[in-house]
Amino acid sequence: MTWAIAWRIARRDLNARFRGLRLLLVCLFLGTGALAAIGSLTAAIEREIETNGRTYLGGDLQIELWQRDLTDVERAALAQLGDVSAGTRMQAMARFGEQAAPIELKAVDKAYPLYGDLTLEDGRTVGAPGSDEAWLSQGAADRLGVAPGDTIDIGTEKLSIGGIIADEPDRLGEGFQLGPTIIVAEDLPTRAGLIAPGSMYQSKTRVRFTQSRDTEAVGEELKQQFPDAGFDIDTADRAAPGTDRFVDRMSEFLTLVGLAALVIAGIGIGGGVTSYLDARRQGIATLKILGATSNDIAHIYALQIVAATLAGSLAGIAAGIAIVPLLATALQGLLPVSSGVIIDPGAIVLALAYGMLVALVFAAPPLLRARNFPAMALMRARVAPLARDPRALALVGGGLAAIVALALLTSDNPMLSGSFLAGAAAILGLLALLGLGIRRLAAALPRPRNPVARNALANLHRPGSSTGALVTALGFGLSAFVLLAAVQSAIDGNIAKRVPDRAPDYFVLDIPRDQVDEFETLVRNADPGASWRMVPALRGSVLAFGSEGAMTRTADLDEIPDGAWALRGERGLTYADRLPEGNELTEGTWWGPMYAGEPLVSVDEDFADAAGLKVGDMLTFGVLGVERTARIANLRRIDWESMGFNYVFVLSPNALQDAPHNLAATVELSRGTPTGPLLQSLVAALPSTSVIEVGGVLEQARTILEQVGFATLAAASVAVIAGLAVLLGAIAAARAARTYDTVILRVLGADRRQIIAMQLIEYVALAATLAVVALGIGSLAAWLVITQLFEFDWLPDWGQVLAVLGLGVFVVLAFALGASLPLLRAKPAQALRDL
């Protein structure tokens, strides 16, 4: 039989609505749709960052420094590379009449912007504002209630509002901000009294190369040339490291969701194809009696399955492409992605390849079983199940190897994808063994006297039993319920833990040491019951670390060790006589008040473990261009969730107190005390300080975590829907296989109540057993997502998880009962004639 003839027969037999293969269609639709949408969206974001990296960063390369500008030598080295633009970023306060607001002050020079255009709402394209004017973001204008032409106060200077910013080209590269942006001239912070020795500010210097250069190589050369400068270097290919990290993590998670949906879909495909071929056993037998060979049978039904696979995969890809513009619109302002239709050929081809491979792997075994069985055996397949074809093992193994290779070759994190696939295979193997164990246990148990219970028990192990398929479907379906509930409740737990309801009302930065008494008087006058905590605030970078005489220079590291993030760039430093609040000493001793010996430092125990440090080792810090070395006196456990001052490094006072610095403070007012009066008095009396309202920061943090939770919930729902589809398919397949048994029982006198009771007893036994297994599988998967992928704390609400699992068991039993009702309507005479 030629392929053309096989297709003609296949097309005639294939229902236009794919009746019998709808489970295959639904499963592939969900899996390929998820992968197409995920791949297209992440590819679009990565392409946007890559294409516009220079604009987002503001240059080909950027150097950040805390509390100082570049030296003449350092600036000369950058000038040899190309055009240079320098500026300052710092927290400040803006005032308009009685209204005051914390802002992000962005001081830029005449060369700004090196890439892109800074445009105002009136349509003008501008650069740095004049010395007596400012460009305001819409958020700053709204907070202050001002419009172009009004005059605001920043520090000791008055500035005219020259315009409202419509497009700030390097906004994404600026990172997280504690207030809306106001752009001013380069010298404004100094003229306004905001910058003095010890002030907390950040200088940013950008370079536009005059010729093509390798940005990573240039960055490494600068670090080698100035190893002790404490440079924090960003390049255009990673213009927004925080955004890149978020996109990478969400892409990894969503890709795993897509792969999980396809793995679950594969189970549904196997069951669906088995049921489909089982329903056509008479047609297959007829074709064989009329002379069709096994190859002819394989060609006919393989063509039908390929047609259904293509239809489901292409429909899923079309739906995925259609969803991407909605996702892009929702993400605008948070991530760099353009709205509109996004078509990424690579993502589409990859999704289609996964769909075809999964269909091949899981459809091959039932197809080969039907291909090689004699016609008479096909006729009686209801009572004589088809034997397994050993060649299916090779075909399935080859298909699985292709899926694994495709996942590893196309993944940004092969280790993660490989681990996931290995875990999925282990879970499938575990469920298969569990199904076999349940069948053997059911066969070994004593026969109950009650005929209903005896038949329910027999259904678990009789020839042709669907126990294996049901165990796999129920296991994955219930595990998906547990995964969804555990992930969502753990994220809610992190919101509750990391974003406390009660926190300090204000963070106050850059309090001059000679104005501490004035600050405390202002707070007491505003609220006699207020409490505050004040600490010295400096910035510095770790230049070297390790045992005395064999220290490692940070600049010589090829890669920062995992968990040793404090070695990267400049970090906050402070000094104290006593152990800070919320800290617990875990090793070593504290130096105590009035200490005057060798400079000492206390280190966070997690950082010390990641960097390989111990008590007695040495740390060298670069502070305002001066090296300061201290010995590690003790290790501390820090409560990072406390809304206060938490420092990885706390030094003895004699190690830092001679360096220029200011103070920072937290202020907590009595409940019910209005916050406005204190804010106004602080801004008026201490114009160089920056006051940050904590309420807005908490709300922003809560919103971000809630968005992560919603995105996770929506993504994981794909796997849950796929699991439900497979579960329904497995129950439907079991119902079809039981028509003969039900008819025989009814002929022998069983009533409807007894038949329904048999079904429920069987499903209750399976669901109760698998609920325990699903609790373990789903919890482990959720733990990996929360702790390893998102790096959150593992804080699930077990009551909520168990409630959702109970809901899943109820849904299973409801579906099982619903699937049993059509069995009662089967007419014995017609059913027996069909066998």
Side-chain angles (χ1 to χ4, degrees):
M1 184 184 297
T2 65
W3 281 100
I5 296 174
W7 171 241
R8 190 181 308 154
I9 297 173
R11 190 179 67 240
R12 287 175 179 175
D13 186 48
L14 193 62
N15 187 279
R17 292 177 294 176
F18 292 98
R19 184 166 185 170
L21 289 173
R22 291 174 186 169
L23 179 61
L24 180 148
L25 291 173
V26 170
C27 291
L28 286 174
F29 175 85
L30 291 171
T32 56
L35 285 174
I38 293 162
S40 297
L41 181 65
T42 53
I45 294 173
E46 290 168 356
R47 187 163 53 245
E48 187 80 12
I49 293 177
E50 182 179 353
T51 302
N52 300 310
R54 291 179 174 84
T55 301
Y56 293 148
L57 184 68
D60 293 286
L61 179 141
Q62 172 181 272
I63 292 179
E64 298 176 341
L65 286 169
W66 281 95
Q67 294 183 285
R68 76 175 182 91
D69 296 320
L70 293 178
T71 65
D72 291 340
V73 175
E74 293 166 345
R75 187 179 179 91
L78 294 185
Q80 295 178 0
L81 301 173
D83 301 323
V84 178
S85 174
T88 301
R89 310 292 185 270
M90 66 185 307
Q91 296 299 129
M93 299 296 297
R95 305 185 304 280
F96 177 70
E98 296 299 317
Q99 186 68 29
I103 61 163
E104 179 80 13
L105 192 65
K106 180 176 178 176
V108 297
D109 63 8
K110 297 295 184 181
Y112 176 85
L114 294 176
Y115 286 101
D117 295 318
L118 175 63
T119 58
L120 305 180
E121 288 191 344
D122 58 14
R124 286 183 293 158
T125 298
V126 297
S131 60
D132 59 350
E133 65 178 347
W135 315 132
L136 271 66
S137 66
Q138 187 62 58
D142 293 341
R143 289 287 301 272
L144 294 169
V146 295
D150 290 336
T151 300
I152 60 174
D153 294 288
I154 298 179
T156 59
E157 294 291 304
K158 292 184 178 296
L159 301 173
S160 173
I161 300 174
I164 305 299
I165 301 170
D167 182 25
E168 183 183 355
D170 55 343
R171 174 67 193 88
L172 184 67
E174 295 290 0
F176 181 79
Q177 295 182 343
L178 295 175
T181 300
I182 293 182
I183 299 179
V184 297
E186 182 183 17
D187 63 343
L188 185 280
T190 302
R191 287 192 289 115
L194 302 178
I195 291 183
S199 297
M200 194 63 65
Y201 68 95
Q202 186 180 36
S203 68
K204 290 191 176 184
T205 307
R206 294 158 176 178
V207 183
R208 179 176 58 199
F209 296 155
T210 52
Q211 62 186 40
S212 179
R213 298 176 185 271
D214 184 337
T215 55
E216 291 292 340
V218 171
E220 290 301 320
E221 290 174 5
L222 288 172
K223 287 183 177 179
Q224 294 296 326
Q225 186 177 356
F226 303 102
D228 301 332
F231 287 167
D232 191 355
I233 299 177
D234 294 319
T235 56
D237 52 355
R238 289 193 62 83
T243 301
D244 284 344
R245 181 179 175 83
F246 176 76
V247 171
D248 290 344
R249 290 300 173 89
M250 285 306 297
S251 174
E252 290 168 359
F253 171 69
L254 295 175
T255 300
L256 294 185
V257 169
L259 288 175
L262 276 177
V263 169
I264 297 172
I267 301 168
I269 290 168
V273 171
T274 298
S275 299
Y276 179 73
L277 294 176
D278 191 53
R280 279 155 177 74
R281 59 190 169 83
Q282 288 187 338
I284 296 173
T286 301
L287 287 170
K288 282 201 167 188
I289 291 171
L290 293 175
T293 66
S294 294
N295 285 336
D296 296 335
I297 298 299
H299 293 165
I300 292 169
Y301 289 98
L303 286 171
Q304 290 186 355
I305 293 168
V306 168
T309 299
L310 282 173
S313 298
L314 292 176
I317 289 170
I321 293 173
I323 290 173
V324 171
L326 301 177
L327 297 175
T329 301
L331 291 172
Q332 277 189 327
L334 296 175
L335 293 172
V337 58
S338 302
S339 58
V341 176
I342 299 171
I343 298 178
D344 184 77
I348 293 172
V349 170
L350 183 62
L352 183 60
Y354 273 125
M356 297 299 291
L357 282 172
V358 168
L360 167 69
V361 167
F362 288 92
L367 186 60
L368 287 175
R369 285 200 299 270
R371 172 187 182 276
N372 290 328
F373 224 67
M376 293 309 296
L378 286 165
M379 288 290 190
R380 61 175 186 270
R382 289 288 190 197
V383 292
L386 300 177
R388 300 182 182 276
D389 190 322
R391 285 179 295 180
L393 184 61
L395 191 58
V396 170
L400 290 175
I403 291 174
V404 171
L406 189 62
L408 297 181
L409 291 173
T410 58
S411 174
D412 292 332
N413 191 335
M415 182 63 71
L416 180 67
S417 297
S419 300
F420 169 79
L421 291 173
I427 291 172
L428 281 173
L430 173 65
L431 292 175
L433 290 175
L434 182 62
L436 179 62
I438 289 175
R439 293 187 63 175
R440 291 187 175 180
L441 178 63
L445 287 175
R447 299 292 179 265
R449 289 186 176 182
N450 185 293
V452 173
R454 184 166 59 251
N455 278 281
L457 183 64
N459 278 340
L460 293 174
H461 65 83
R462 62 177 174 79
S465 168
S466 56
T467 298
L470 286 173
V471 165
T472 304
L474 283 170
F476 265 99
L478 294 177
S479 296
F481 275 99
V482 173
L483 169 67
L484 190 67
V487 167
Q488 187 61 35
S489 64
I491 290 177
D492 291 340
N494 276 273
I495 293 175
K497 181 180 180 181
R498 297 184 179 212
V499 190
D501 294 328
R502 183 62 177 166
D505 295 281
Y506 293 114
F507 280 102
V508 186
L509 307 178
D510 278 332
I511 304 172
R513 285 187 284 178
D514 59 359
Q515 292 185 288
V516 170
D517 292 341
E518 186 176 357
F519 168 79
E520 293 178 341
T521 300
L522 291 172
V523 175
R524 272 194 294 267
N525 290 341
D527 177 16
S531 60
W532 62 91
R533 179 188 171 202
M534 195 172 299
V535 298
L538 300 92
R539 302 286 297 192
S541 58
V542 179
L543 302 181
F545 62 96
S547 57
E548 187 174 8
M551 298 177 68
T552 300
R553 303 294 293 185
T554 306
D556 295 337
L557 294 175
D558 294 329
E559 187 177 355
I560 299 296
D562 290 340
W565 51 270
L567 295 176
R568 187 179 294 110
E570 295 193 335
R571 300 294 165 187
L573 302 176
T574 191
Y575 58 84
D577 278 328
R578 296 178 175 83
L579 182 69
E581 295 179 14
N583 288 220
E584 178 185 350
L585 210 63
T586 60
E587 186 177 346
T589 58
W590 199 261
W591 42 82
M594 307 302 292
Y595 175 78
E598 177 187 22
L600 301 175
V601 59
S602 176
V603 179
D604 169 50
E605 64 173 358
D606 292 333
F607 167 78
D609 181 63
L613 295 172
K614 60 185 183 300
V615 172
D617 285 345
M618 310 296 290
L619 284 168
T620 297
F621 300 94
V623 182
L624 297 175
V626 178
E627 290 192 9
R628 296 171 182 262
T629 299
R631 186 180 300 277
I632 298 177
N634 56 70
L635 305 180
R636 290 169 294 121
R637 181 178 297 119
I638 302 174
D639 179 13
W640 291 104
E641 278 71 40
S642 64
M643 289 297 292
F645 294 111
N646 291 311
Y647 288 88
V648 175
F649 308 111
V650 178
L651 288 90
S652 58
N654 63 334
L656 282 181
Q657 62 186 357
D658 62 327
H661 65 277
N662 289 329
L663 306 176
T666 58
V667 179
E668 185 172 344
L669 302 177
S670 305
R671 289 189 179 273
T673 302
T675 58
L678 175 60
L679 176 63
Q680 301 299 330
S681 61
L682 286 173
V683 172
L686 305 172
S688 64
T689 62
S690 302
V691 184
I692 300 170
E693 297 173 283
V694 177
V697 178
L698 291 180
E699 187 61 33
Q700 188 175 2
R702 186 176 287 110
T703 299
I704 291 173
L705 286 174
E706 287 174 351
Q707 288 173 336
V708 172
F710 177 77
T712 305
L713 175 66
S717 298
V718 175
V720 172
I721 294 172
L724 287 176
V726 172
L727 181 59
L728 286 173
I731 292 175
R735 180 190 68 197
R738 286 176 182 164
T739 302
Y740 172 81
D741 298 333
T742 303
V743 166
I744 296 299
L745 289 171
R746 289 184 63 189
V747 169
L748 294 176
D751 59 27
R752 295 188 175 192
R753 180 184 59 81
Q754 290 173 323
I755 291 174
I756 292 176
M758 280 189 286
Q759 298 288 316
L760 284 179
I761 290 173
E762 179 183 353
Y763 279 102
V764 166
L766 287 176
T769 302
L770 289 168
V772 178
V773 177
L775 183 63
I777 293 174
S779 298
L780 177 61
W783 178 82
L784 291 171
V785 169
I786 291 295
T787 63
Q788 305 303 306
L789 196 59
F790 289 157
E791 297 181 356
F792 288 170
D793 292 332
W794 178 234
L795 300 170
D797 182 337
W798 290 111
Q800 182 178 334
V801 172
L802 293 175
V804 171
L805 178 59
L807 174 63
V809 172
F810 174 79
V811 169
V812 168
L813 296 178
F815 282 148
L817 180 61
S820 300
L821 296 178
L823 297 177
L824 305 178
R825 296 193 294 268
K827 297 179 180 180
Q830 180 181 351
L832 290 172
R833 281 196 303 268
D834 290 339
L835 289 172

